[in-house]
Amino acid sequence: MRHASAMKRGIRTATHPARPDIQGLRALAVGLVVIYHLRPEALAGGFIGVDVFFVISGFLIIGSLARETTKQGSVSILAFYARRIRRLFPASAAVLAAVLLGTVLLLPQSRWQGISADVIFSLLQVQNWHQALSAVSYAGATEAVSPLQHFWSLAVEEQFYLVIPLFFLVLAAVARRSGRASGALIVPAMAVTALASFAYSIHLSNSEHTMAYFATGTRIWELAAGGLAALLPAMGRTSAVRAAVLGWAGMAAVVVPVFFLTTAMPFPGSVAAIPVLGTAAILRTGAAASSVAWSVSRVLGIRPMTFIGDVSYSLYLWHWPVIVFAVALLGRAPGILEAALLAALSLVLAAASYYGVEQRFRHPAPRATARHAAPGRSAWAGHRRVYVAAFCSALLVAVASWTPWQVVEVKRAQLSTALSDRDYPGAQAWSERPAAVPAGMPVRPDPAVAMQDLPATAAGSCGVYDPAKVPDSDCWFGSADQPGTPEIVVVGDSHAGQFVDPLIAVSEKIPLRIRAMVRNGCPFALTPPRSADTVYTNCSAQNAVTAAKIIEQKPDLVLVAGMREAGYRKALGWRWTPESPLVDGYVQTLSLLRDAGLRVAVLADTPFPGGNPVECLQEHGHADKCGTPAAEALAGGEDSLVVAAGRVPGVETTDLSRHFCRDGVCPAVIGNVLVYRDNHMTNTFAKSLAPDLAVALRLS
């Protein structure tokens, strides 16, 4: 009973309503995030502002639920969720609606469906998982940044809010059954939860860094740390001066890391404990140190800081869409003056959102509150209006997101319609016997859906081939399996996968079986790429197994292709060292295949377009301004794969670049067909290469 009594005393001490330093801490957190997003080179570790927010949320929410559990012996789930809805949903719904409107007015149609989908992910509070699964894929690396990407942290908190009251209900039930005070199990249970989540965070951060950053389980310990800061016994015996010193130590733990932490580190693993514990220390010592003039709590409690803290939630919501739309309009990152103007605009929008939306819905009218609290009314009746209003608002936003989606969906249906070779010759317009190009035809695929004009390898696991997981019977295309039918293996990265569909087109005229063994973002080499401090050995290790499987299969032809090393630097930030160059890795794999007596052909990489041809076409309406100078498209040094082919006797080399560039320019549209969807060909243009590819490979 003494422990339960201490628990009650500690919780009561933490309930002082006047904690302006917490608002100031929120201001610090949002300031770090905004500066990081505007000028990441100035504050490389500013992303830890999100971690500060998590700790603050845990401190307030867990502390509040613990007090309710201790006092009432239970938790009102309906009341808790209603408070969270009133606090968080109105402002987020307003931002989602504004982003939809801005998307339709300011962004090209090629982005409409992606952002419409992000609206739904954000409404359902699963944006963090969408970001995690997108970011860990190579496809996600080439997509434009979403103006709703920052909703991932809100999703983590909402998922936490969904389960934490249930957590307290279970603890209260266990306490009742064991005859203990209702709050007796809270601290040990929270500590165990924090330790388990922290251990999981360290493990996943070291093995799957990007997934760990967005996952909910790797962030629970940060919220729990805030909760423990609220639940531990009050600092009654700690002098105000000592508390002030501890507060400044906590501030140092928050501020100093922003100058040396980077996203390349395994975050939020053990390194995240520095700002998390620092934030917890500031929260723990704030009340005890408030009488000291030079304490952190007094500095954080000054009016400018508390004002920004008041609007911090809305500021977080608004600043990222403002930045993304500005970058889209400017076509580049903002300069220093532009960044300052964007920060000011975000603050103005945040203030308007706070006073016009947040406060209006967070604090219902006294008359309505009294009516809801009338005796005899059920818990549901008291909060029904909140839930109904939230559901209707969410439904309205979801329906609004369907409109731009459907506009693009109508155009997407065109992708399944076969194009006339006479009207849309594509690459055949520049073949040895050029096809005529009719004037006045609309470009196909429509730029609005070009990003969805994907090769056959985009389906299933055929674009992320893993020799240990993909059965040998999968990823076969072309003619039926008949004895004597020639077999071609296509191996390499996503640039190799582009040539599967042209070969499928060839197989419609001559018997041919095609096996795709391509892995996006993985050149068919035995030397691993690097990115900052990370070495991607998984790719090169799998290539050795893939080569052995190809040798075992004994195909009639092995077709190898891959993106230039300069393309990897531009698209993914990958590089190879002088001690382990990409050329040597290619030589090793090509030699393995040739030593086994296989016929091997290498395709030179396609030219790399400058900018985004899809968005350029949508902006200008015609292709004249959207071409790339050939010197730029083919810049960045020699093609490592072609160089390696020249070092391995018997390897054939084919270069189709004459189908892409002429008179010093690589156009965005050739033969009425859009050439690129990003740095990859549209599948429509790729298939138009089929006749010349067949000749080059001596297939016909």
Side-chain angles (χ1 to χ4, degrees), residues 490-493 495-497 499 523-524 559-563 586 601-604 641:
V490 180
V491 64
D493 57 21
H495 277 215
F499 293 98
F524 188 54
L559 183 63
V560 187
M563 186 160 59
Y586 276 135
V602 160
L603 276 175
L641 181 55

Side-chain angles (χ1 to χ4, degrees), residues 556-682:
D556 297 277
L557 171 65
V558 181
L559 183 63
V560 187
M563 186 160 59
R564 289 170 177 260
E565 188 171 349
Y568 272 106
R569 286 197 301 270
K570 185 175 181 180
L572 296 177
W574 290 1
R575 59 184 175 82
W576 283 260
T577 64
E579 298 76 24
S580 183
L582 180 57
V583 172
D584 287 357
Y586 276 135
V587 167
Q588 294 174 55
T589 51
L590 296 177
S591 297
L592 286 172
L593 301 178
R594 282 297 300 151
D595 291 346
L598 300 178
R599 181 190 170 201
V600 180
V602 160
L603 276 175
D605 192 23
T606 54
F608 201 103
N612 188 316
V614 171
E615 293 189 3
C616 179
L617 276 173
Q618 292 178 97
E619 178 182 353
H620 296 290
H622 54 81
D624 294 347
K625 297 183 179 180
C626 300
T628 303
E632 177 185 340
L634 298 171
E638 296 179 302
D639 188 329
S640 299
L641 181 55
V642 174
V643 173
R647 297 182 184 178
V648 181
V651 175
E652 306 167 21
T653 302
T654 296
D655 189 347
L656 299 175
S657 60
R658 65 184 177 85
H659 291 282
F660 296 82
C661 306
R662 179 180 290 181
D663 299 327
V665 177
C666 305
V669 176
I670 298 174
N672 291 333
V673 176
L674 180 57
V675 179
Y676 298 102
R677 51 185 171 88
D678 44 28
N679 62 71
H680 302 81
M681 292 183 283
T682 63

Side-chain angles (χ1 to χ4, degrees), residues 349-616:
L349 291 172
S353 177
Y354 175 73
Y355 291 110
V357 179
E358 281 191 65
Q359 293 295 86
R360 183 180 296 272
F361 289 93
R362 186 179 182 183
H363 302 293
R367 183 179 300 177
T369 304
R371 184 170 62 251
H372 291 170
R377 292 175 63 87
S378 68
W380 165 247
H383 302 293
R384 180 172 53 205
R385 291 181 61 184
V386 173
Y387 287 95
V388 172
F391 174 80
C392 292
S393 300
L395 184 61
L396 184 62
V397 174
V399 170
S401 71
W402 178 85
T403 302
W405 174 282
Q406 190 60 28
V407 168
V408 179
E409 189 65 16
V410 171
K411 297 183 177 183
R412 194 181 72 84
Q414 298 170 351
L415 294 176
S416 60
T417 303
L419 298 179
S420 165
D421 292 340
R422 184 177 63 182
D423 294 336
Y424 294 94
Q428 293 309 298
W430 286 6
S431 67
E432 291 187 2
R433 295 182 178 179
V437 182
M441 300 298 297
V443 173
R444 292 290 183 267
D446 189 297
V449 294
M451 290 299 296
Q452 301 177 55
D453 192 19
L454 303 172
T457 53
S461 58
C462 295
V464 287
Y465 179 78
D466 184 340
K469 297 179 181 178
V470 178
D472 291 340
S473 58
D474 287 0
C475 301
W476 285 91
F477 304 93
S479 306
D481 186 8
Q482 298 291 339
T485 301
E487 294 182 351
I488 296 179
V489 167
V490 180
V491 64
D493 57 21
S494 59
H495 277 215
Q498 300 176 111
F499 293 98
V500 170
D501 284 83
L503 291 173
I504 294 174
V506 173
S507 73
E508 295 173 358
K509 298 182 178 180
I510 61 173
L512 192 65
R513 298 191 73 223
I514 306 105
R515 185 181 186 187
M517 302 176 78
V518 299
R519 180 182 172 190
N520 298 340
C522 180
F524 188 54
L526 296 185
T527 49
R530 299 170 179 268
S531 176
D533 298 325
T534 305
V535 181
Y536 299 95
T537 55
N538 188 37
C539 174
S540 53
Q542 287 187 1
N543 284 335
V545 180
T546 299
K549 281 185 168 289
I550 294 173
I551 293 170
E552 181 183 358
Q553 180 185 331
K554 294 182 173 58
D556 297 277
L557 171 65
V558 181
L559 183 63
V560 187
M563 186 160 59
R564 289 170 177 260
E565 188 171 349
Y568 272 106
R569 286 197 301 270
K570 185 175 181 180
L572 296 177
W574 290 1
R575 59 184 175 82
W576 283 260
T577 64
E579 298 76 24
S580 183
L582 180 57
V583 172
D584 287 357
Y586 276 135
V587 167
Q588 294 174 55
T589 51
L590 296 177
S591 297
L592 286 172
L593 301 178
R594 282 297 300 151
D595 291 346
L598 300 178
R599 181 190 170 201
V600 180
V602 160
L603 276 175
D605 192 23
T606 54
F608 201 103
N612 188 316
V614 171
E615 293 189 3
C616 179

Side-chain angles (χ1 to χ4, degrees), residues 41 71 109 204 252 263 337 352 394 491 597 600 622 625 637 649 654 692:
E41 70 281 0
K71 182 178 180 180
Q109 289 185 357
L204 197 63
T263 54
L337 179 59
V491 64
V600 180
H622 54 81
K625 297 183 179 180
T654 296
D692 293 292

Side-chain angles (χ1 to χ4, degrees), residues 212-269:
Y213 190 86
F214 294 108
T216 305
T218 61
R219 300 288 188 166
I220 292 295
W221 69 275
E222 299 182 352
L223 292 141
L228 288 171
L231 299 179
L232 292 175
M235 302 176 65
R237 297 182 180 179
T238 301
S239 70
V241 172
R242 182 177 299 177
V245 172
L246 290 174
W248 278 111
M251 178 62 76
V254 172
V255 174
V256 173
V258 304
F259 297 103
F260 66 82
L261 289 181
T262 69
T263 54
M265 295 179 178
F267 199 90

Side-chain angles (χ1 to χ4, degrees), residues 276-303:
V276 166
L277 294 179
T279 304
I282 295 172
L283 293 169
R284 281 285 295 158
T285 60
S290 60
S291 62
V292 179
W294 49 267
S295 67
V296 168
S297 60
R298 293 285 288 272
V299 173
L300 291 175
I302 62 176
R303 183 52 188 155

